[in-house]
Structure formats: structure tokens, C-alpha cells
Amino acid sequence: MNTPPSPSGAEHTDRSSIRLGALVPLTRPGWVEAGRHLLAGLDLAVREVNDAGGIDGRPLELVVRDTAADPERAAAAVDELAHLGVAAVVGEYHSVVARAAAARADALGVPFLCSSAVLDALTEEPTEWVARLAPAQSHGWRIYADFVLRAGRRRIAVATQPSVYWASGTRILRDHLAPRGGTVLELDATLTPEALCDALVDHGATALFLLVGHPEPAVPIVRAVRRDRRLPEIFIGAPAGQPEFAEWAAALGEDGAGIPFLRYLPERLGPLGERVGKKLRERLGEAPSFVAFEGWDTVNVLAAVLRSHGTDRAAVAESWPRVAVEGTRGPIRFSRTPDISVWQWTWTPVQVVDRDPAKPDCFRILHAG
């Protein structure tokens, strides 16, 4: 397995280190930019814990494994990390990958604190071993659907690819929109961008949601729709958050602005969030995404757990319902939520945001849920 160095553990080779396994997409076809932000948050928090004396004098060591958006690779990484004696596994951005990691962690009895993945069914059956910081997909996407309805858009087309995650999103949208007068038309993203535009016109769609990967096929679809004179008023949406990262703006420029997406930040960060955000900006050389804050909060939660309950894996897992930690985006507590199989932070702040058409490098908060 191709593995990057463990940045936070490089200076801590002592066997007394407490190891945390980190799953991060760092190579294609993974969303590398999301992985970079997630790792920046994880690593910053580990360094801050160590600078403050570690966990009862023992340093944290981050053992990083690149998932490359591959579920099998993630499951194998959990096996390896368990063998290395990690106290817990953290991270992962891609929902389908996190699902494979969660299943393996559950089977092995390794605590897994998932940072970013939102798929409701993160495990097939309820588990005590897995907790999650990101909101469940059904929670965020319903907020997004309500925003679109209030904007007067009811004939929704979704360009989608085969995936448990995209299929789940389509189902959430259809179930939520139908009782409220909305319709959802599925369009296969393997259509050429021109054929997809024809279908939007033929069906009288007033909105197009991009339930597809980035940059392909999302970028060519957006370009085609923006340039089609038959579709000047169509709403383009990306609930999965593709426009969050700088490479979206770099690829699309003005065409990528005005496309609302979901972001998991409060309207205003508190003092902790401001402090962490400043340090993340220095590390990344750009504004930190919500994914970077998710990474920092993940380690912050686990550090509190390890201080209070020790490094025994069962003790870590048993601690989820007793967590009460101040995060960068608000107080973090876990609870059992209907239809969610893992311990869940209920709920992370949710925003609907877009890139400002007048300044594509700047974001506008359109709605807070």
C-alpha cells in the first residue's frame, strides 16, 4: 500500500506514543483537495495536543493511510491499523469508503470516529464502535431541498452516476420533494453534456442537481448548461459540495459561481473556531474548508476521550454517549438518532452557500439550517 509519511508522528518514535489511524483520500480518484484539507485539520490538532503535553504525557501519533476513494483499500487499511495497535481510527471524506471502513472497524472492535462522510447507513446494523461528526445525508439534503423549493424550483432533474451515495441522495430528494409538489427526474451522467441539456429542455426542468463526481463529469456538464441559450434561467445545484474547493473555481471561473451547495459551518465562528481557522489558513495557504474544521474537531474529541477514559479500545467506544467537547463549530455531543446506525453529533451547523458571481473566490451564505 502506497502510504504518505505520518506528519504528526515524525518526531515521536517513542513506543509510548498513542497511535491514531487516519484514513484520508490523498490520490486520485479520491477527492485529493478534500483529503488535503482533512489531513491539515487532523494534523494541526495532533500537534496542538502534543505541544500541550500530549495525553498524560504521552504524545499522539497520526498514522496516515491513503484510501484513494477505494473501499477495499480502506478496509485493508483498518486491518493494518488495528494490527499496529491504534487506539482508534479517524477521518475519511468519501461516504462509500467510510462505509467500508466502518464495517471493518465494527467487525474488529476498533473505535472509528468518522470526520466527513454523511451516508445515513454508515453501517448495516447499529454499532457501538462508530461515531460521526458530519450530519447525516438525509438531514442536510432535506434542508437543501427546502431551500430550492422556497426558490420556486419544483421540476428537479438530477444528473447522477451509479453509487450507493448518489442513489441515497436521489431517494432522499424524491421522498422529501414529492409531498411538497416537487418532482425528481433522473438523468444518466453518461449522456453527453449536449444530450443532457436536450433532456433538460424536453422535460421542462427548472433545476439541475449535480449528483456526480468532480472534476469529471461535473465540470463539462456545468460548462454545457451555462452555454446553452435554451437554459438561461435554470438553477444548478450541488448539494454534495463540489464548489467548496478552490479547484472548482480554477476549472470553471465565473461558470462555477452561483451554484448553491451544502457546507457544515455556523454563520459565525466563535473564538476557538477563529483561532483554529487562522492556523489552518496558514497551513493550507488558502481559506480552510469545513472539511479542515471537521478534521480538527475529530482529534479534539478523541483527545478528550483518551484523557478521560484511557486508550483501551472498548473504553473509547463506550465513551461516545458521554462526550461533551467544545468544537470549532459548537458544542459536540453524540446521541442515538432514528434510522442512523452510529453515534451521531446532532446536528452540525448546516449552511447553503454559493460562490458570489461578482467575486467567484468569495462565498455567500444563502440559508442556514
Side-chain angles (χ1 to χ4, degrees):
M1 182 179 293
N2 233 345
T3 303
S6 302
S8 306
E11 60 270 49
H12 298 300
T13 56
D14 191 311
R15 289 183 180 178
S16 69
S17 295
I18 300 170
R19 289 180 160 186
L20 298 180
L23 304 178
V24 189
L26 295 174
T27 54
R28 297 289 186 188
W31 198 337
V32 175
E33 196 170 9
R36 186 171 68 90
H37 279 237
L38 177 57
L39 183 56
L42 294 168
D43 184 58
L44 173 62
V46 167
R47 289 186 180 273
E48 290 188 349
V49 169
N50 289 342
D51 288 346
I55 307 297
D56 296 328
R58 299 172 64 188
L60 285 181
E61 179 183 351
L62 202 61
V63 185
V64 181
R65 292 296 179 264
D66 174 20
T67 63
D70 183 337
E72 292 184 6
R73 186 165 172 168
V78 174
D79 280 337
E80 181 195 1
L81 293 166
H83 180 72
L84 290 173
V86 299
V89 174
V90 300
E92 194 46 46
Y93 177 80
H94 298 284
S95 281
V96 175
V97 180
R99 192 168 183 247
R104 198 67 195 130
D106 180 48
L108 294 174
V110 177
F112 175 32
L113 179 51
C114 183
S115 304
S116 294
V118 299
L119 191 68
D120 282 35
L122 205 55
T123 56
E124 292 292 341
E125 300 293 335
T127 176
E128 301 297 320
W129 293 99
V130 183
R132 172 168 57 191
L133 289 176
Q137 187 181 19
S138 58
H139 177 72
W141 286 41
R142 286 169 187 155
I143 291 171
Y144 190 89
D146 286 338
F147 165 77
V148 174
L149 286 173
R150 282 194 293 273
R153 311 294 178 143
R154 282 177 165 72
R155 296 179 63 83
I156 314 298
V158 297
T160 187
Q161 296 173 297
S163 161
V164 171
Y165 175 63
W166 300 127
S168 171
T170 301
R171 183 174 61 254
I172 291 165
L173 292 170
R174 181 173 283 118
D175 290 348
H176 191 71
L177 290 168
R180 295 162 178 81
T183 60
V184 175
L185 168 71
E186 289 186 59
L187 298 177
D188 191 333
T190 60
L191 291 170
T192 66
E194 294 74 22
L196 192 142
C197 288
D198 290 341
L200 294 174
V201 173
D202 290 344
H203 291 279
T206 58
L208 169 66
F209 290 178
L210 302 170
L211 307 195
V212 294
H214 171 74
E216 298 287 338
V219 168
I221 289 174
V222 171
R223 284 186 183 135
V225 173
R226 291 295 200 209
R227 285 159 174 69
D228 195 311
R229 295 183 179 180
R230 300 170 297 172
L231 299 167
E233 302 297 328
I234 196 163
F235 172 105
I236 305 177
Q242 295 93 327
E244 167 77 14
F245 297 100
E247 65 178 359
W248 174 272
L252 284 164
E254 293 181 0
D255 284 346
I259 298 178
F261 62 94
L262 286 168
R263 183 169 74 169
Y264 307 128
L265 289 173
E267 291 189 73
R268 183 173 287 103
L269 290 168
L272 176 61
E274 290 284 357
R275 180 187 71 76
V276 172
K278 182 178 179 181
K279 288 193 173 184
L280 288 170
R281 180 184 284 273
E282 291 170 357
R283 283 175 158 254
L284 291 163
E286 62 187 9
S289 70
F290 69 87
V291 179
F293 287 98
E294 287 175 329
W296 194 94
D297 283 339
T298 301
V299 171
N300 187 43
V301 167
L302 266 177
V305 166
L306 293 168
R307 289 189 190 103
S308 299
H309 301 280
T311 60
D312 177 76
R313 290 172 178 171
V316 171
E318 289 167 3
S319 74
W320 301 137
R322 293 187 288 279
V323 164
V325 175
E326 187 63 30
T328 58
R329 299 162 297 152
I332 298 172
R333 292 178 173 81
F334 297 115
S335 60
R336 286 298 192 186
T337 304
D339 301 320
I340 307 298
S341 59
V342 303
W343 288 99
Q344 175 72 54
W345 179 14
T346 316
W347 293 103
T348 313
V350 176
Q351 298 174 350
V352 180
V353 178
D354 72 357
R355 289 182 174 272
D356 189 339
K359 297 178 181 179
D361 289 336
C362 297
F363 296 109
R364 303 183 299 182
I365 300 174
L366 308 174
H367 175 70

